[in-house]
Amino acid sequence: MYKKGHKKKQKKRGKSDGRNKENILHSDKEEIEEVSTADEKKSLCYEIKYSDVMGRYIVAARDIKAGEIIIEEPALAVGPCTGCALICLGCYREIDENNINKCKNCKWPVCSGSCPGQGKYTGHSTYECETLRSIPPDYSKLEDLRDSYQALMPLRCLLLKKADPPKWQALSAMEAHNELRRARGDIWPTNEKNVVQRIKSWGLEYDPEEIHTVCGILEVNAFEVGGSGANARALYDRAYLLAHDCTPSTTHTDSERTPGRPITVRASIAHKAGDLISLCYAYTLQGTLKRREHIKHSKFFWCSCRRCADRAELGTSASAFRCPRCAGAVLPERPLQRDQPWACTRDHCHYTMPAAAVHLLLQRLTDEYDQIDANDVPGFENFLHKYRNVLLPSHYLCLSAKHSLSQLYGKVTDYMIHEMPDTELNRKIDICRDLMKVFDVIEPGYSRLRGVTLYELHAPLMILTTRDFEKKAITKESLRNRLKEIVQYLQESALILGFEPAHSSEGLMAAAARDALKKIKTWEQIIGKIS
């Protein structure tokens, strides 16, 4: 069932082989790893390189077009995320704790007797089922059952040693950062308690150090996968080689309904031969402080990419506070040193904030933001209004609020698109345009964020255009120009989101964009050819 797309040359792993790719392109030692044949090498659009600092990473072997597939490969292993709810072991859907279906053989939770993930290595495999058969869960202790899920993905990896040695060999080549993780006071003890001791209590004989290594491989290299809200994680043989950058050059998606649950890594922007091929290990719609903390905590290195090193984050000011003296932008003086003060960027203003005050303020604002219900339009608007003199409109907390509003306006009760007054429609337009200015920098090209926002932007424009036409408040030429703009947004949105699986929310949005384009064509009977 599993077939590698290419074979990597086996070589003795050096001390830094397989490290996270830490934004450094120039190094003292660099070599290209060989693939097995010249034909295979020619078929790849990338090549694997190695440096003492970055370990293995990949660069473009030739020019790559935006939208071109770079890597497409099946998973080595798939399993529950750490800290997940009670989910089906086959398809990872959340299960109602008051109505739990059980696997007929092992009695562990599944969504139904006909779960599509039963018997598959990407779900509840036969060898996992046989292993868990002797470890039936105690349904009178649901909290303990939930905690036991933390050991399931490591166990699935360990079971591959006998069940599928090639997959085990492939994942064993990944970096675990055991020394760094052992030095941490949180990760190693947590894994010892929740994974190592759990597997031992199940009567399964695995070496504790090997279990810790598997935990590290998962923490460093796994991708979160799943439809609405990641509820599973997966390891892939080549995709993990992508270097990190806070302005990624690729986008990726997984297809949960396809055998092997393959991942597709696609170029979001054009690459020239030799360009680094990257993805972002953090959420791009966050400020430098939060991104760097997350990457350090989860991937064990401090990011120093171009965006992180620039106090204004490539001109987006995504972390900027408003200066209380002159209303200018307050930004970190040395963004790569989190303990350094922040200062107003205007020459005549000498306002500064100590780093400790910045961290405290940011935490307070984040806590308040997190209390807003996900569907609360007034809540997000009130947050933006309340802190208009504290945060610049481009601050990432404001951008997060606007991102939510861009999708809520037109879709929730009291804000349905055809019922919204012109003021609210124009508000949605302004929000989408504000987002696009930032997305064009932090997630340029064919990114999912861009595709969704373009679709959200077209809707209020279309409603306002229709209303103006019905009121005869628009000339035929203006109507044609507006429709051309809307068509452009829909075409790009349909293209970007068309890369997503058809059944996903983004895939359904792509279909809706294509339908909207067909409907706009009917306007040509009134105004002539639009494009």
Side-chain angles (χ1 to χ4, degrees):
M1 184 192 300
Y2 177 78
K3 184 179 179 182
K4 289 186 180 179
H6 74 292
K7 298 177 182 177
K8 297 191 286 288
K9 179 184 177 182
Q10 297 298 315
K11 65 182 183 114
K12 184 176 180 180
R13 296 183 63 204
K15 186 175 180 181
S16 58
D17 185 21
R19 288 180 184 171
N20 281 302
K21 318 343 169 236
E22 302 164 11
N23 325 112
I24 301 172
L25 295 180
H26 305 289
S27 58
D28 296 332
K29 177 181 177 184
E30 189 174 273
E31 64 185 40
I32 300 173
E33 290 196 359
E34 297 175 5
V35 290
S36 58
T37 68
D39 288 340
E40 283 180 342
K41 187 170 181 178
K42 284 181 180 179
S43 70
L44 298 176
C45 64
Y46 66 88
E47 57 192 14
I48 302 172
K49 290 194 172 186
Y50 173 83
S51 78
D52 286 338
V53 176
M54 296 173 66
R56 287 183 293 170
Y57 62 99
I58 64 175
V59 300
R62 57 169 173 77
D63 291 355
I64 301 173
K65 297 178 181 178
E68 187 174 345
I69 293 174
I70 296 173
I71 294 173
E72 192 167 33
E73 60 176 340
L76 295 172
V78 185
C81 287
T82 298
C84 68
L86 210 61
I87 59 174
C88 170
L89 296 193
C91 66
Y92 311 104
R93 297 288 185 267
E94 192 165 343
I95 288 175
D96 180 359
E97 294 184 359
N98 297 313
N99 184 27
I100 301 176
N101 285 296
K102 303 170 187 176
C103 172
K104 291 180 180 179
N105 185 47
C106 68
K107 309 306 179 187
W108 279 71
V110 292
C111 61
S112 69
S114 58
C115 172
Q118 289 224 52
K120 297 179 180 177
Y121 83 94
T122 52
H124 187 42
S125 65
T126 53
Y127 50 86
E128 176 184 70
C129 189
E130 283 303 309
T131 301
L132 295 179
R133 187 177 183 181
S134 61
I135 319 163
D138 184 349
Y139 286 98
S140 68
K141 300 177 180 178
L142 288 181
E143 189 64 35
D144 184 68
L145 176 56
R146 281 192 291 270
D147 288 344
S148 71
Y149 272 53
Q150 298 182 51
L152 288 177
M153 181 56 169
L155 176 60
R156 289 185 178 183
C157 294
L158 292 164
L159 289 172
L160 291 174
K161 287 184 74 174
K162 291 184 178 180
D164 199 326
K167 287 191 180 71
W168 169 253
Q169 185 178 13
L171 72 85
S172 296
M174 299 178 187
E175 182 58 72
H177 285 309
N178 277 355
E179 292 182 12
L180 293 172
R181 293 170 54 255
R182 197 189 304 271
R184 286 263 294 265
D186 53 352
I187 295 176
W188 198 272
T190 298
N191 286 332
E192 177 67 28
K193 175 186 174 183
N194 297 328
V195 183
V196 177
Q197 293 303 319
R198 175 78 63 172
I199 290 176
K200 182 179 179 181
S201 72
W202 286 342
L204 303 176
E205 296 184 2
Y206 289 102
D207 176 57
E209 188 73 13
E210 188 172 56
I211 299 174
H212 276 293
T213 297
V214 167
C215 289
I217 287 169
L218 289 166
E219 287 157 9
V220 173
N221 303 287
F223 287 75
E224 288 188 342
V225 295
S228 51
N231 45 23
R233 50 183 172 163
L235 291 171
Y236 294 92
D237 186 27
R238 291 172 290 154
Y240 84 97
L241 292 170
L242 268 72
H244 161 77
D245 196 287
C246 289
T247 53
S249 66
T250 66
T251 185
H252 62 273
T253 187
D254 67 285
S255 183
E256 60 183 311
R257 298 188 182 183
T258 302
R261 195 154 191 161
I263 192 171
T264 300
V265 178
R266 197 180 295 269
S268 53
I269 59 173
H271 293 66
K272 293 289 186 183
D275 284 352
L276 182 73
I277 299 175
S278 64
L279 53 73
C280 187
Y281 296 169
Y283 184 37
T284 56
L285 207 57
Q286 280 186 330
T288 295
L289 271 176
K290 289 293 182 182
R291 288 194 320 278
R292 296 187 80 231
E293 286 174 358
H294 171 78
I295 293 165
K296 177 60 176 176
H297 180 78
S298 61
K299 304 299 181 183
F300 313 103
F301 70 94
W302 287 111
C303 180
S304 57
C305 72
R306 199 165 58 97
R307 180 182 172 190
C308 287
D310 178 15
R311 64 188 307 213
E313 298 192 44
L314 306 180
T316 63
S317 295
S319 296
F321 293 99
R322 192 179 292 282
C323 179
R325 289 185 183 172
C326 70
V330 177
L331 291 168
E333 291 187 335
R334 296 179 181 85
L336 298 183
Q337 299 177 34
R338 65 188 309 275
D339 59 345
Q340 293 297 301
W342 290 40
C344 181
T345 57
R346 291 184 175 173
D347 293 335
H348 66 275
C349 183
H350 303 291
Y351 178 79
T352 62
M353 285 180 72
V358 171
H359 299 158
L360 196 63
L361 175 59
L362 191 56
Q363 189 58 56
R364 183 171 68 82
L365 294 173
T366 301
D367 290 343
E368 184 171 340
Y369 178 85
D370 289 343
Q371 295 303 310
I372 304 172
D373 183 83
N375 295 313
D376 186 0
V377 171
F380 288 116
E381 289 286 17
N382 289 338
F383 181 88
L384 292 171
H385 181 74
K386 181 178 179 180
Y387 293 110
R388 66 193 184 282
N389 294 323
V390 178
L391 303 172
L392 253 61
S394 58
H395 189 279
Y396 74 88
L397 286 174
C398 296
L399 294 174
S400 294
K402 290 177 181 179
H403 184 237
S404 294
L405 288 168
S406 73
Q407 298 178 70
L408 293 174
Y409 274 125
K411 295 179 184 176
V412 296
T413 304
D414 298 329
Y415 298 95
M416 300 306 290
I417 192 72
H418 291 285
E419 300 168 1
M420 288 166 60
D422 289 3
T423 53
E424 290 179 352
L425 291 170
N426 280 305
R427 173 63 175 156
K428 182 177 171 91
I429 290 170
D430 290 342
I431 285 170
C432 289
R433 293 197 192 283
D434 286 347
L435 291 171
M436 290 300 298
K437 290 175 186 176
V438 178
F439 294 165
D440 284 345
V441 177
I442 66 172
E443 285 205 21
Y446 293 166
S447 72
R448 196 177 289 108
L449 279 176
R450 180 181 176 83
V452 170
T453 306
L454 284 168
Y455 181 81
E456 296 295 347
L457 178 55
H458 104 276
L461 285 170
M462 194 70 230
I463 298 294
L464 288 172
T465 299
T466 303
R467 288 179 184 176
D468 284 347
F469 176 75
E470 290 172 348
K471 292 185 295 187
K472 298 183 179 178
I474 187 172
T475 65
K476 186 176 287 188
E477 186 60 29
S478 294
L479 176 61
R480 182 182 289 108
N481 289 334
R482 281 205 209 173
L483 291 176
K484 280 183 179 179
E485 180 184 10
I486 294 168
V487 165
Q488 178 185 339
Y489 295 152
L490 284 171
Q491 286 176 335
E492 189 172 357
S493 177
L495 172 63
I496 295 170
L497 300 181
F499 297 142
E500 304 294 321
H503 62 273
S504 67
S505 58
E506 294 87 359
L508 294 173
M509 194 174 283
R514 290 190 290 268
D515 288 342
L517 282 168
K518 291 176 184 177
K519 291 177 182 177
I520 289 178
K521 283 292 183 181
T522 62
W523 285 80
E524 292 185 342
Q525 298 172 10
I526 302 170
I527 61 172
K529 192 170 180 63
I530 296 172
S531 58

